[in-house]
Amino acid sequence: MPQSGRSPTLPPKVRQALVGQASYWALAFSVGLSLFVEEPRRRAELAMYVLPRGLESAWSIMREKGYVPFVPFGDAVLGASAMGMVMATYQNDPERLSGLVRRVLYQFIGPN
């Protein structure tokens, strides 16, 4: 226990190394390496799970810095284009969709 009554703190250089941008990159890289532990057939599925979150994060950062303009109703436009891609895949190449998505679309839309 310190005698001055203050709690011990990390030196500024150590604190900067732990909280700085380099540590974020190092941790993100190490998490990305965990994909190689997964089965190869699941890697694409995991990438498709993470991709929207990464794109949303990149968009938010670019919006904050003013690199991209504000798009009114952008979420509706993005959702409509995503659904359009799913529907085009269902029409032209349905075996590329997961079984669950295919069954749900079949229930709502019917056979291809």
Side-chain angles (χ1 to χ4, degrees):
M1 184 166 176
Q3 299 205 353
S4 65
R6 291 180 7 184
S7 61
T9 60
L10 294 172
K13 295 237 183 220
V14 174
R15 192 173 337 124
Q16 184 179 7
L18 291 175
V19 183
Q21 191 173 14
S23 68
Y24 294 146
W25 281 99
L27 290 172
F29 181 74
S30 65
V31 168
L33 288 176
S34 69
L35 279 177
F36 295 112
V37 177
E38 284 292 333
E39 296 178 32
R41 64 179 181 85
R42 289 217 2 137
R43 290 179 189 164
E45 183 181 337
L46 289 171
M48 293 304 291
Y49 173 76
V50 173
L51 182 66
R53 284 140 188 89
L55 291 175
E56 183 179 4
S57 176
W59 182 263
S60 297
I61 291 170
M62 289 189 297
R63 272 296 299 134
E64 286 177 7
K65 295 187 182 257
Y67 295 147
V68 293
F70 173 73
V71 179
F73 304 107
D75 53 343
V77 171
L78 185 62
S81 61
M83 194 62 196
M85 290 190 298
V86 170
M87 294 305 291
T89 304
Y90 181 66
Q91 181 180 9
N92 298 321
D93 204 8
E95 58 274 354
R96 293 208 177 257
L97 296 171
S98 72
L100 175 68
V101 173
R102 241 187 344 255
R103 285 191 301 271
V104 168
L105 287 174
Y106 182 80
Q107 290 297 319
F108 283 105
I109 296 172
N112 186 356

